[in-house]
Amino acid sequence: MFIRFLEKIQLTVGVIFLIIFFIAIIIQVITRYFGISVIWTEEVANYSFIWAIFMGAAVMVNRKDHFNFDLLEKKLKGKARVTLSLVIDSILLLFCAALCFYSFTALTSFWNYNWVTLPSIKMGYVWLSFPVMTITMVIYLFAHIAGGIRKLAVREAIK
């Protein structure tokens, strides 16, 4: 239930940033047509797109639509399939945990940089998307691993 709620929040945030991206691009196209220079639209579009992509990437990890050995998974059944899923999720968890660690390093390093066109906004707000993505990926992967372990335990209990 918590995982579904977290995913719903991430999808909502991702959609909001896609809408911001779309609006910034529309403003940019319209103002260029009229020969008006609105320089902040490019940065807003870029940074909102980063947030949208990172939120979507985490959701894709939760839905197991990102990293998958589809051919092998379709051929395996039962315990072997669950074990493959556990191995993949464990490898991803190690990778995402390392990314999580380094995302905080990047966040603290770049927090005080400012946007070029809107200098009152800190780059840290853009870099915050990186730890948010990796933390939620770690949460999702822990949930997958716990579910896989439960499946294996049930299969062993049935035998």
Side-chain angles (χ1 to χ4, degrees):
M1 183 149 161
F2 170 73
I3 298 297
R4 278 190 239 136
F5 177 71
L6 185 59
E7 182 182 299
K8 189 173 182 177
I9 289 172
Q10 274 195 301
L11 283 173
T12 303
V13 169
V15 166
I16 288 168
F17 277 107
L18 274 177
I19 291 168
I20 293 169
F21 167 79
F22 182 70
I23 290 170
I25 295 298
I26 295 296
I27 291 170
Q28 192 173 42
V29 168
I30 290 170
T31 56
R32 282 187 183 178
Y33 178 77
F34 290 113
I36 302 166
S37 179
V38 182
I39 58 173
W40 55 265
T41 55
E42 183 179 350
E43 270 189 316
V44 169
N46 285 338
Y47 300 147
S48 61
F49 193 67
I50 288 169
W51 265 96
I53 293 303
F54 280 4
M55 295 304 99
V59 169
M60 297 306 281
V61 166
N62 184 43
R63 294 181 177 182
K64 295 189 175 209
D65 287 337
H66 236 308
F67 309 100
N68 204 357
F69 296 104
D70 203 20
L71 181 67
L72 186 56
E73 184 182 347
K74 286 180 181 178
K75 291 189 181 267
L76 296 175
K77 302 266 186 245
K79 186 177 178 181
R81 185 183 225 175
V82 175
T83 303
L84 174 66
S85 181
L86 281 170
V87 168
I88 292 169
D89 288 338
S90 298
I91 292 168
L92 279 173
L93 178 62
L94 291 173
F95 177 74
C96 289
L99 270 181
C100 188
F101 173 77
Y102 289 111
S103 70
F104 281 103
T105 304
L107 177 65
T108 56
S109 296
F110 295 110
W111 181 265
N112 287 320
Y113 285 60
N114 295 327
W115 289 23
V116 174
T117 58
L118 298 170
S120 61
I121 301 177
K122 300 246 181 246
M123 281 299 295
Y125 297 117
V126 176
W127 283 92
L128 188 60
S129 63
F130 196 26
V132 168
M133 175 192 69
T134 56
I135 288 168
T136 53
M137 283 180 170
V138 166
I139 292 169
Y140 293 145
L141 290 166
F142 270 127
H144 291 173
I145 290 169
I149 291 170
R150 277 193 302 274
K151 281 182 186 175
L152 285 178
V154 167
R155 290 184 191 278
E156 289 299 317
I158 292 174
K159 287 183 178 182

